[in-house]
Amino acid sequence: MEKRATFSNRYLPYALLAPQILVTLIFFYWPAAQAIRQSFMLEDAFGLSSDFVWFENYVALFKDPSYYQTLWTTFVFSGSVAFLSLSVALLLAVMADAEIRGATAYRTFLIWPYAVAPAVAGVLWIFMLDPSLGMVARGLKSLGLDWNPRLNGTHALTQVVLASAWKQISYNFLFFLAGLQAIPRSVIEAAAIDGARAWRRFWTITLPLLSPTTFFLLVVNIVYAFFDTFGTIDTMTQGGPAKATETLVYKVYSDGRLGGDLGGSAAQSVILMIIVIGLTAVQFRFVERRVTY
Amino acid sequence: MVERKGALARILPHLVLLTGVAIVAFPVYLALIGATHESSVIANGQMPLTPGGAALDSYYRAIVIGPSRTTREPVGTMLLNSFTMAMLIAVGKIAISLLSAFAVVYFRFPFRKAAFWMIFITLMLPVEVRIYPTYKVAADLGLLDTMAGLTLPLIASATATLLFRQFFMTVPDELVEASKIDGAGPMKFFFDTLLPLSRTNMAALFVILFIYGWNQYLWPLLITTRDDMQTIVIGIKKMIVTSDAITEWQIVMATAVLAMLPPVLIVIVMQKLFVRGLVETEK
């Protein structure tokens, strides 16, 4: 896709590109290159000199059981966030799509959590789930559950999942609703005439036709859980207790901040970059497919 | 639908949706209530579900004085910082993306493709994966605790450039030819024809980017150390002291409400633009 009518000017296009290219070079490419370089270096204890050590940092990382624990936590965390927020959003979108009055009003009431900062979402949920003052925590305790996210890793992970999924419902709801409204009524009506009940229609027609949207949202939700939940985790649990809520991004942050392991932190960054590249590629393949359909 | 519906089938969607809305709104409702009670009531874990009488005091102390026991900056300053940061990020992103998309679409020059790909690849380098090296660059440039340091590294964005590129492609070629016949140069065409046509796209993108900027957390956390440079999203985290006897929860909740208000209002008031922006940035 190219324009036929263009302007010709020798220097102007470079001047127009300059601001963006400059910011990109200084704050994207240079740091990314530094991360890659650092991941192959080992600093001495005083940070005075550093040696090129090939893949030592990576080998150390993959020998470290705590890295696998973080990997597993990230996997469980993003899977739960995606599953929870996608299923709630789908249920609500199907209901809103069911030709009821006030669908736009419901939409207004459901989309605003998108605008709440992840860190603020964490604060709101802490206020509900804190074992000593939270209202919901009190409810859980009165039901006989020994709710204590400060000591119990599963409880801590649960509360971070809840806060993160809560924020993502609105996004998923919007896209599911748009996807549902794009399904031709005639297809569903034809099935209804053939005698398929609502439940069967949903499983055999609506859900398969919605699968491109679902797949797209799945990728978006995983990217969200990986990278955009830092604020939620930092306000709620700081990765604890005993690293039970430490995701890959949080580990890069905490390993580098304690100052010690710059090479290891850089190696983790590089692995994260590879994950982003993979996820972006999947996302774009999907978008291309959708365009050609 | 072809089937006739019973009373239950007609009411069920409303019931489910109302429950959904209630669950989604509950955390915010509690925050609104929390801001109206004394801290002692909250700390006991005895907060009722109805508003108390301390609202004015909480908001006044939050905005003007700041939580006294942690001696932080008042939230008024934080709000101003957040607003400046969000505006700079949104306007900056839109400006540099408009210019670069214009260059890529309307000119033929060596390295055009290379420049486009260079911008495109930044999609794959979110701040989260390059935090410490980026921090070091910002520190070396003397940008710690400055607005420039807070906003510049977040300003480059492939998404906005891609969006404007896509839109410019749909602008009819006749407009370029017509303005050439009128003797207009490229910049005149850009300002007089292209910008007015891009207004809706710019507005939709602005809504999304303002929210993006306002809600930033990790980068401001690293780059700001001075209290008077703090944004509200960072400030609220620092109000929560680990031993919860000291945390003044009514102030924290008032601050949470203030932190949510601007972006949530934008989403509700500009709902159409917001939905459009959201759908377009994901293409």
Side-chain angles (χ1 to χ4, degrees), chain A residues 120-138 147 159 163 235-236, chain B residues 26-39 41-43 45 47-49 240 247-254 256:
Chain A
V120 175
V123 173
L124 295 181
W125 281 78
I126 271 287
F127 190 59
M128 295 197 297
L129 293 172
D130 183 273
S132 61
L133 58 86
M135 185 170 284
V136 176
R138 229 190 305 155
W147 175 256
Q159 68 172 0
T235 45
M236 293 187 91
Chain B
F26 188 64
V28 175
Y29 176 76
L30 276 192
L32 286 167
I33 297 299
T36 66
H37 286 283
E38 307 274 344
S39 64
V41 178
I42 301 173
M47 191 182 89
L49 269 172
I240 303 176
T247 307
E248 293 176 278
W249 281 100
Q250 85 283 18
I251 307 263
V252 177
M253 286 301 122

Side-chain angles (χ1 to χ4, degrees), chain B residues 94-95 97-99 101-102 105-106 160-161 163-172 175 189-207 273 276-277 280:
Chain B
I94 291 174
S97 303
L98 273 169
L99 292 177
F102 179 54
V105 173
Y106 282 98
T161 313
L163 178 68
F164 284 125
R165 175 180 167 269
Q166 215 168 22
F167 172 68
F168 291 168
M169 286 300 199
T170 67
V171 173
L175 290 177
F189 169 74
F190 178 74
F191 283 113
D192 289 358
T193 312
L194 217 46
L195 276 194
L197 286 174
S198 318
R199 256 201 315 242
T200 324
N201 279 302
M202 282 160 68
L205 202 56
F206 178 83
V207 173
L273 281 175
R276 188 186 162 135
E280 273 174 355

Side-chain angles (χ1 to χ4, degrees), chain B residues 231-251:
Chain B
T231 64
I232 188 162
V233 177
I234 300 296
I236 194 171
K237 157 77 175 39
K238 300 208 166 155
M239 287 179 191
I240 303 176
V241 191
T242 27
S243 105
D244 52 4
I246 323 171
T247 307
E248 293 176 278
W249 281 100
Q250 85 283 18
I251 307 263

Side-chain angles (χ1 to χ4, degrees), chain A residues 90-109:
Chain A
L90 180 60
L91 174 70
L92 294 174
V94 167
M95 292 300 160
D97 185 50
E99 284 182 299
I100 57 163
R101 254 166 265 186
T104 19
Y106 284 121
R107 195 178 79 169
T108 310
F109 283 117

Side-chain angles (χ1 to χ4, degrees), chain A residues 88 91-96 106 110, chain B residues 11-23:
Chain A
V88 172
L91 174 70
L92 294 174
V94 167
M95 292 300 160
Y106 284 121
L110 284 169
Chain B
I11 295 172
L12 183 72
H14 288 286
L15 281 179
V16 173
L17 282 165
L18 284 174
T19 316
V21 169
I23 291 173

Side-chain angles (χ1 to χ4, degrees), chain A residues 2-3 6-7 14 20 24 27 29 106-108 115 132-133 135 138 150 166 171 234 253 257 269, chain B residues 14 24 45 47 100 106 110 112 118 122 129-130 132 161 168 171 180 215 217 237 244 249 271 282:
Chain A
E2 299 279 313
K3 278 254 177 223
T6 53
F7 293 99
Y14 297 106
Q20 175 133 28
T24 310
F27 294 108
Y29 283 95
Y106 284 121
R107 195 178 79 169
T108 310
S132 61
L133 58 86
M135 185 170 284
R138 229 190 305 155
R150 283 187 206 159
W166 172 75
Y171 186 93
D234 197 44
Y253 167 77
R257 185 187 48 164
S269 291
Chain B
H14 288 286
V24 163
M47 191 182 89
S100 55
Y106 282 98
R112 188 176 69 101
M118 225 175 114
T122 55
V129 308
R130 54 185 168 86
Y132 289 108
T161 313
F168 291 168
V171 173
K180 273 184 173 171
N215 289 348
Y217 184 78
K237 157 77 175 39
D244 52 4
W249 281 100
Q271 201 182 134
E282 283 304 338

